[in-house]
Amino acid sequence: MTKQKVTVVTGSGQGIGRAIAFRLASDGFTVVINDLNKELAESTAQELRDQGKESFAVQGNVSNRDDQFSLVKQTVEKYGRVDVFVNNAGIAQVAPLLEVREEDLEAIFKINVFGVIYGIQAVAEQMKKQDGRGKIINACSIAGHKGYSLLGTYSATKFAVRGVTQTAAQELAQYNINVNSYCPGIVGTKMWDLVDAKMAEYMGLEIGEAFKKFSEGITLGRPSDPEDVAKFVSYLASSDSDYMTGQSVLIDGGVDFS
Ligand code: NAD
């Protein structure tokens, strides 16, 4: 049991999720790390403990409903509650729509959409039983606000996350649960390494060129660090955002690709 508020961050072995985990830990949360990659999850939780923070790792696949319920169960067994659940895990795909195969669609929807819905289901059951306000925070994207060439399947999943965020906010308000999403722009993570490499193939660019090209359209003149996103998630996790729900907010440095 812990007196601190408790948060779970999915896909927090690296990238944006990892930055969110460290930020929420420094905000005073006890943080449970989840990732498909066991080693990444465990090393992140260990680093938090090395900093004197309470944390443990749960390997799991967000696209597996049982794994999501087990993640919440293990958290409650150890810490007694979940105050904030961050549905961060997600994957990208880069391909023209005419080349998208059935297995591609299944793979990305299972993680980016099914995973978010299972996370909401698992944690809402727990939050309904608790006193105090619960917060569910989902990873959306600039691609959840606008379609981009070669990112059709990814965009479809992130538009879906926006819809689910609005619905969940309406259905769960009666239980004192707020549901919002953060929508990053171009963030320098392993995900973008993959996007960049695939775009290079399709567009005949050098490695690094697509990332640079996309970054040039940012009003604030630089791509995002994971920590830029984590600062906004810190707000969504805090009581300062108690009057916000159903929103999918851009945190992208001002991307203008119109
Ligand atoms: P990343 O690839 O760097 O990290 C994602 C983490 O999620 C990895 O550790 C991976 O092992 C884990 N993961 C993948 N599938 C999983 C699954 N099925 N179950 C549990 N864990 C799983 O990605 P990132 O850039 O940090 O992205 C995090 C989130 O932010 C994603 O939802 C992504 O769509 C979104 N996002 C990223 C960007 C960006 O520019 N990087 C922009 C907008 C939105």
Side-chain angles (χ1 to χ4, degrees):
M1 292 292 172
T2 171
K3 287 204 181 84
Q4 291 183 314
K5 284 194 169 183
V6 178
T7 183
V8 177
V9 186
T10 68
S12 51
Q14 68 180 23
I16 295 170
R18 181 188 148 90
I20 292 169
F22 276 84
R23 173 60 198 240
L24 295 185
S26 77
D27 289 348
F29 282 89
T30 291
V31 184
V32 176
I33 304 296
N34 155 269
D35 207 281
L36 189 59
N37 183 318
K38 190 166 187 271
E39 289 72 39
L40 282 180
E42 283 177 352
S43 63
T44 302
Q46 185 58 51
E47 275 182 66
L48 283 167
R49 289 195 295 273
D50 291 346
Q51 292 186 5
K53 315 285 189 195
E54 179 75 37
S55 181
F56 80 107
V58 180
Q59 192 274 340
N61 183 344
V62 296
S63 68
N64 180 318
R65 193 170 184 273
D66 290 344
D67 279 9
Q68 293 282 61
F69 277 78
S70 168
L71 172 61
V72 171
K73 186 163 176 276
Q74 289 180 62
T75 303
V76 174
E77 277 167 7
K78 196 151 168 72
Y79 299 130
R81 56 187 297 117
V82 185
D83 298 282
V84 173
F85 191 93
V86 187
N87 276 309
N88 169 75
I91 61 165
Q93 271 176 7
V94 179
L97 278 181
L98 299 190
E99 288 181 18
V100 170
R101 299 161 307 168
E102 191 175 346
E103 57 262 40
D104 301 325
L105 278 169
E106 272 176 8
I108 198 163
F109 271 84
K110 278 197 170 155
I111 295 173
N112 293 8
V113 184
F114 293 23
V116 169
I117 294 174
Y118 295 153
I120 291 170
Q121 290 177 335
V123 81
E125 281 307 318
Q126 171 58 30
M127 286 174 171
K128 277 160 71 171
K129 295 186 235 159
Q130 297 176 180
D131 55 351
R133 188 167 286 280
K135 303 258 168 123
I136 300 174
I137 305 171
N138 304 321
C140 186
S141 170
I142 47 171
H145 288 258
K146 188 175 182 302
Y148 295 94
S149 188
L150 297 175
L151 293 172
T153 56
Y154 182 69
S155 241
T157 65
K158 295 300 184 180
F159 270 74
V161 168
R162 258 174 88 195
V164 167
T165 299
Q166 291 178 2
T167 298
Q170 290 168 40
E171 293 182 358
L172 302 180
Q174 62 188 308
Y175 306 113
N176 277 331
I177 300 170
N178 298 40
V179 188
N180 291 294
S181 297
Y182 52 98
C183 306
I186 315 297
V187 193
T189 65
K190 294 253 163 47
M191 176 180 282
W192 241 102
D193 291 347
L194 188 144
V195 170
D196 181 76
K198 278 274 169 199
M199 284 196 168
E201 265 174 54
Y202 281 113
M203 296 162 78
L205 302 171
E206 297 293 322
I207 295 294
E209 253 189 285
F211 183 76
K212 196 160 165 273
K213 197 164 160 283
F214 271 79
S215 301
E216 278 162 5
I218 298 173
T219 305
L220 291 180
R222 66 165 176 86
S224 172
D225 294 323
E227 288 70 24
D228 296 317
V229 180
K231 286 177 193 170
F232 178 58
V233 175
S234 162
Y235 166 73
L236 291 179
S238 78
S239 59
D240 283 353
S241 64
D242 280 357
Y243 197 58
M244 177 187 278
T245 200
Q247 304 307 305
S248 292
V249 181
L250 291 162
I251 170 72
D252 63 353
V255 171
D256 181 9
F257 298 131
S258 54

Coordinates of all heavy atoms in Angstrom, one line a residue, residues 7 9 15-25 31 86 88 182 226 229-231 233-234:
T7 N -0.2 5.7 -10.5 CA -0.5 5.8 -11.9 C 0.1 4.6 -12.6 O 1.1 4.0 -12.2 CB 0.1 7.1 -12.5 OG1 -0.3 7.1 -13.9 CG2 1.6 7.2 -12.4
V9 N 1.4 3.5 -16.5 CA 1.6 4.1 -17.9 C 2.0 2.9 -18.8 O 3.0 2.2 -18.6 CB 2.8 5.1 -17.8 CG1 3.0 5.7 -19.2 CG2 2.6 6.1 -16.8
G15 N 10.8 6.0 -24.9 CA 10.0 7.0 -25.6 C 9.2 7.9 -24.7 O 9.5 8.3 -23.6
I16 N 8.0 8.3 -25.3 CA 7.1 9.2 -24.6 C 6.6 8.7 -23.3 O 6.6 9.3 -22.2 CB 5.9 9.6 -25.5 CG1 6.5 10.4 -26.8 CG2 4.9 10.4 -24.8 CD1 5.4 10.6 -27.9
G17 N 6.3 7.4 -23.3 CA 5.8 6.7 -22.1 C 6.8 6.8 -20.9 O 6.4 7.0 -19.8
R18 N 8.0 6.5 -21.3 CA 9.1 6.6 -20.3 C 9.2 8.0 -19.7 O 9.3 8.2 -18.5 CB 10.4 6.1 -20.9 CG 11.6 6.1 -20.0 CD 12.8 5.8 -20.9 NE 14.0 6.5 -20.3 CZ 14.8 6.0 -19.4 NH1 14.6 4.7 -19.0 NH2 15.7 6.7 -18.8
A19 N 9.2 9.0 -20.6 CA 9.3 10.4 -20.1 C 8.1 10.7 -19.2 O 8.2 11.4 -18.2 CB 9.3 11.3 -21.3
I20 N 6.9 10.2 -19.5 CA 5.7 10.4 -18.7 C 5.9 9.8 -17.3 O 5.6 10.4 -16.3 CB 4.4 9.9 -19.4 CG1 4.1 10.7 -20.7 CG2 3.2 9.8 -18.5 CD1 3.0 10.1 -21.6
A21 N 6.4 8.5 -17.4 CA 6.6 7.8 -16.1 C 7.5 8.6 -15.2 O 7.3 8.8 -14.0 CB 7.2 6.4 -16.4
F22 N 8.7 9.1 -15.7 CA 9.6 9.9 -14.9 C 9.0 11.2 -14.4 O 9.2 11.6 -13.3 CB 10.9 10.1 -15.6 CG 11.8 8.9 -15.5 CD1 11.7 7.9 -16.4 CD2 12.8 8.9 -14.5 CE1 12.6 6.8 -16.3 CE2 13.7 7.8 -14.4 CZ 13.5 6.7 -15.3
R23 N 8.2 11.8 -15.3 CA 7.6 13.1 -14.9 C 6.6 12.9 -13.8 O 6.5 13.6 -12.8 CB 7.0 13.8 -16.1 CG 6.2 15.0 -15.8 CD 7.0 16.1 -15.1 NE 6.2 17.1 -14.5 CZ 6.2 18.4 -14.8 NH1 7.0 18.9 -15.7 NH2 5.5 19.2 -14.1
L24 N 5.7 11.9 -13.9 CA 4.7 11.6 -12.9 C 5.3 11.2 -11.6 O 4.8 11.5 -10.5 CB 3.6 10.6 -13.4 CG 2.8 11.1 -14.6 CD1 1.7 10.1 -15.0 CD2 2.2 12.5 -14.4
A25 N 6.4 10.5 -11.7 CA 7.1 10.1 -10.5 C 7.6 11.3 -9.8 O 7.5 11.4 -8.5 CB 8.3 9.1 -10.8
V31 N 4.5 4.9 -9.7 CA 4.3 4.7 -11.1 C 4.5 3.2 -11.4 O 5.6 2.6 -11.1 CB 5.3 5.5 -12.0 CG1 5.0 5.3 -13.4 CG2 5.2 7.0 -11.6
V86 N -2.6 5.8 -18.0 CA -2.2 6.4 -19.2 C -2.1 5.3 -20.3 O -1.2 4.5 -20.3 CB -0.8 7.2 -19.1 CG1 -0.5 7.9 -20.4 CG2 -0.8 8.1 -17.9
N88 N -0.7 4.8 -23.2 CA 0.3 5.4 -24.0 C 0.8 4.5 -25.2 O 1.1 5.0 -26.2 CB 1.5 5.8 -23.2 CG 2.7 6.2 -24.0 OD1 2.7 7.3 -24.6 ND2 3.6 5.3 -24.1
Y182 N -3.7 13.3 -25.2 CA -2.6 14.2 -25.6 C -2.3 13.9 -27.1 O -2.3 12.7 -27.4 CB -1.4 14.1 -24.7 CG -0.9 12.7 -24.5 CD1 0.2 12.2 -25.2 CD2 -1.4 11.9 -23.5 CE1 0.7 10.9 -25.0 CE2 -1.0 10.6 -23.3 CZ 0.1 10.1 -24.1 OH 0.6 8.8 -23.9
P226 N 10.4 14.0 -25.8 CA 9.3 13.3 -25.1 C 8.9 14.1 -23.8 O 7.7 14.1 -23.5 CB 10.0 12.0 -24.7 CG 11.0 11.7 -25.8 CD 11.5 13.1 -26.2
V229 N 5.9 16.5 -24.1 CA 4.6 15.8 -24.0 C 4.3 15.5 -22.6 O 3.2 15.7 -22.1 CB 4.6 14.6 -24.9 CG1 3.3 13.9 -24.8 CG2 5.0 14.9 -26.3
A230 N 5.4 15.0 -21.9 CA 5.2 14.6 -20.5 C 4.7 15.7 -19.6 O 3.9 15.5 -18.7 CB 6.5 14.0 -19.9
K231 N 5.2 16.9 -19.9 CA 4.7 18.1 -19.1 C 3.2 18.3 -19.2 O 2.6 18.7 -18.3 CB 5.5 19.4 -19.6 CG 6.9 19.4 -19.2 CD 7.6 20.7 -19.8 CE 9.1 20.6 -19.6 NZ 9.8 21.6 -20.4
V233 N 1.0 15.9 -20.0 CA 0.4 14.8 -19.4 C 0.4 15.0 -17.8 O -0.6 14.7 -17.1 CB 1.1 13.5 -19.7 CG1 0.5 12.3 -19.0 CG2 0.9 13.2 -21.3
S234 N 1.4 15.7 -17.3 CA 1.5 16.0 -15.9 C 0.3 16.9 -15.5 O -0.4 16.6 -14.5 CB 2.8 16.7 -15.6 OG 2.7 17.4 -14.4

